[in-house]
Amino acid sequence: MAREQTSRIDQPTRALARKRILVCGKGGSGKSTLVALIAAVLQRRDYRVMVLDGDASNPEGLVRLLFGVGVPNEPKPLIEFFGGTERVTCPVDDPSPLTRIGESDPVPAKPINLSTEIGPEYSLARGHLRLLQAGKIETYGQGCDGPIEKVVRDFMLEDEVVSLIDEKAGVEHFGRRIPDRMDIILGVLDCTRESVSIARRIHGFATEMGTDNTWFVLNKVESREMSDRMMDLLGDLSDKVIGTLPYMTDLVKAALAGHPIDEHLAAKHVDPIVQRLEGIASQCAFPRAALDD
């Protein structure tokens, strides 16, 4: 019986295919690291994965975490596929949906075919993983990153892939309604009171959105006492915690050496979290905001 149960657990449910998972939290909580760990586990479970770097201020974090140092070129900014900041508008000033160049159909209504539409210059690829960057702050005085956020919000795919979206620190994206078109919001909490405060704000914003599909992962937990203290501080939100990750010195060493995330290390700690996400995805409906919101 135990062998049969193990077999069922190891068999992917495919429940996360075509789902968009937004990973957010305070600065330094480990958002990019968790994205890389989840991506590694999803590949081991035979998912195709698209990682979208939505952090305009972090120049190479996900490139290093997923591919290591020494990559000749970063991906071309995805915002250029849509015409750059000259064409893509800030979602606050103009909430209209993203469109392809020369087309009027909104991307959310006519999703992108990642396999045929997005050229190799826009991504780094390995196996069943593709990493894309929405855009970066490249020059002094470049201006608002709102247009980049619109790409994050509306870059929806028709391919059977899991979309992991690494958002920038804080909660500004909620003010711009970027999570409107996400299926799951996953907050990363390090063991600080600031993270507890951020968690309450994220949950409050999600309630305003009309979704209960917001979950949290405790990260960099050094002891059971620390975990228990965080759960006490979270109070009623402790039921929304779907996993706990220890402080991993191996990850710190890999970061200093410039090595990509170790897939075996990822599987050891993150596979239970991915299984929880699959369970959530298989049981929940995913309403998205109307295209003209």
Side-chain angles (χ1 to χ4, degrees):
M1 184 66 177
R3 182 175 300 174
E4 181 183 350
Q5 289 177 340
T6 300
S7 177
R8 280 203 298 268
I9 289 173
D10 290 342
Q11 182 65 35
T13 67
R14 316 306 304 169
L16 292 172
R18 293 196 173 94
K19 296 297 184 287
R20 308 183 80 218
I21 303 173
L22 182 73
V23 180
C24 56
K26 67 176 277 292
S29 60
K31 299 180 298 297
S32 298
T33 299
L34 182 61
V35 166
L37 290 166
I38 292 176
V41 169
L42 287 171
Q43 290 179 88
R44 287 171 62 93
R45 295 171 70 81
D46 294 326
Y47 280 100
R48 293 173 60 203
V49 184
M50 188 279 294
V51 173
L52 178 59
D53 184 352
D55 187 348
S57 62
N58 188 356
E60 58 180 27
L62 274 171
V63 172
R64 178 191 58 75
L65 285 167
L66 292 170
F67 296 90
V69 298
V71 175
N73 296 298
E74 291 190 32
K76 185 176 180 180
L78 194 56
I79 193 171
E80 294 186 18
F81 177 84
F82 297 100
T85 54
E86 297 80 9
R87 182 175 180 274
V88 181
T89 55
C90 175
V92 175
D93 300 330
D94 175 18
S96 63
L98 188 69
T99 60
R100 298 165 174 82
I101 295 174
E103 293 191 18
S104 59
D105 291 334
V107 170
K110 183 184 175 184
I112 297 286
N113 187 305
L114 183 64
S115 304
T116 61
E117 291 189 68
I118 306 298
E121 68 273 19
Y122 288 100
S123 68
L124 293 175
R126 185 185 67 242
H128 295 304
L129 168 73
R130 288 183 71 175
L131 168 66
L132 295 87
Q133 293 181 340
K136 296 293 181 182
I137 301 298
E138 303 285 359
T139 61
Y140 177 76
Q142 181 173 323
C144 172
D145 67 345
I148 296 172
E149 292 267 66
K150 180 174 279 192
V151 172
V152 171
R153 186 191 71 185
D154 289 353
F155 187 66
M156 299 174 69
L157 304 175
E158 69 173 25
D159 305 69
E160 190 172 312
V161 304
V162 185
S163 296
L164 290 176
I165 298 155
D166 185 20
E167 190 46 284
K168 64 183 179 181
V171 295
E172 182 182 351
H173 42 286
F174 284 93
R176 290 174 170 167
R177 302 193 63 171
I178 305 308
D180 277 0
R181 303 204 214 281
M182 305 297 166
D183 295 307
I184 296 173
I185 299 168
L186 187 61
V188 185
L189 312 178
D190 60 7
C191 294
T192 61
R193 286 181 175 269
E194 289 81 2
S195 271
V196 174
S197 177
I198 287 278
R200 296 206 170 278
R201 292 177 72 85
I202 289 173
H203 187 261
F205 292 139
T207 300
E208 290 183 50
M209 290 168 55
T211 180
D212 191 44
N213 223 4
T214 301
W215 308 90
F216 299 101
V217 171
L218 299 185
N219 193 28
K220 304 179 184 179
V221 178
E222 297 185 11
S223 66
R224 178 62 181 270
E225 180 183 3
M226 184 178 287
S227 173
D228 290 344
R229 180 59 176 153
M230 280 294 293
M231 297 295 267
D232 287 342
L233 290 171
L234 286 167
D236 55 334
L237 288 186
S238 62
D239 290 340
K240 306 291 286 183
V241 175
I242 63 169
T244 299
L245 296 178
Y247 182 85
M248 292 180 264
T249 55
D250 286 346
L251 283 182
V252 177
K253 292 176 182 178
L256 288 173
H259 296 155
I261 289 291
D262 181 87
E263 292 187 7
H264 296 286
L265 182 67
K268 177 181 178 182
H269 297 291
V270 182
D271 196 68
I273 294 172
V274 171
Q275 290 182 34
R276 289 293 304 277
L277 290 172
E278 285 183 320
I280 290 164
S282 65
Q283 297 173 23
C284 297
F286 297 97
R288 286 173 175 155
L291 294 177
D292 57 353
D293 278 1

